[in-house]
Amino acid sequence: MTDLRVQELKKARKSAAFFILVAFFGALLTVAVCAITTATLGKNGDRLIQFVTTAEAVVGGWMVLTVILLFAVPQIKTAKFFKKISLVKLNAIKCRVAAVGQTTTSADGIKVKGVVVKADDKTERIYLCPEPTAEGIAVGKKYSFLTALNYILEAEQADE
């Protein structure tokens, strides 16, 4: 069984570890540049030390802002999405997959694939399947889906 919530938690942990690594690298780089410049120039290089430290602080600041915008903001959107999902009742459906679409981004900021399914009564429905879950879904096979707000949260191949 593919559980999207577990995969997203792993992704959030990986992003947090990367953010901490970048912040640590920035701090280490600042200390190293200041130490090397001071050891090389001594008191005669005060102006150069000030310039190098300022330039490095600006670059380090932009690195941290980039990490925040590329990793933290998407994780906040994902957390809001899962909070919204946790407040609604989950539905279980058994159906046959008719088609799997291309990857797009939903209104909730989640990368999804459209999955067209046919239920036993021959009605077609389109569900949004987050990318990690959609990887294992094959066209023509029967599945048991756990859905909420038109999103497939869990997928398990059913017996034919």
Side-chain angles (χ1 to χ4, degrees):
M1 180 166 309
T2 304
D3 190 349
L4 177 68
R5 292 165 284 195
V6 172
Q7 291 175 350
E8 287 298 326
L9 181 60
K10 288 179 183 177
K11 186 177 174 183
R13 286 181 180 159
K14 189 176 181 181
S15 294
F18 183 74
F19 177 73
I20 290 169
L21 183 67
V22 168
F24 178 75
F25 177 72
L28 188 64
L29 185 62
T30 301
V31 171
V33 167
C34 289
I36 290 170
T37 308
T38 303
T40 306
L41 301 173
K43 292 216 178 234
N44 298 336
D46 286 344
R47 200 72 153 148
L48 183 59
I49 292 171
Q50 191 176 26
F51 172 76
V52 169
T53 304
T54 303
E56 195 282 324
V58 168
V59 170
W62 278 109
M63 283 174 44
V64 171
L65 283 175
T66 301
V67 168
I68 288 171
L69 292 176
L70 292 179
F71 293 100
V73 172
Q75 293 305 320
I76 291 169
K77 284 183 178 181
T78 303
K80 286 181 182 179
F81 168 73
F82 281 109
K83 184 176 181 181
K84 183 170 71 169
I85 290 287
S86 69
L87 299 175
V88 296
K89 184 180 176 189
L90 300 177
N91 301 319
I93 61 165
K94 288 187 179 181
C95 55
R96 186 174 299 276
V97 174
V100 177
Q102 297 294 324
T103 301
T104 61
T105 303
S106 72
D108 294 308
I110 307 294
K111 289 192 180 286
V112 295
K113 290 185 178 189
V115 177
V116 179
V117 299
K118 288 188 179 184
D120 292 333
D121 57 355
K122 304 297 180 199
T123 58
E124 277 194 7
R125 293 186 190 108
I126 299 176
Y127 289 99
L128 300 175
C129 188
E131 238 180 352
T133 304
E135 294 304 318
I137 296 177
V139 176
K141 302 242 181 197
K142 275 194 168 184
Y143 286 91
S144 177
F145 291 137
L146 190 60
T147 65
L149 297 176
N150 208 34
Y151 285 92
I152 298 172
L153 298 178
E154 293 181 14
E156 184 175 300
Q157 191 168 350
D159 295 333
E160 292 290 328

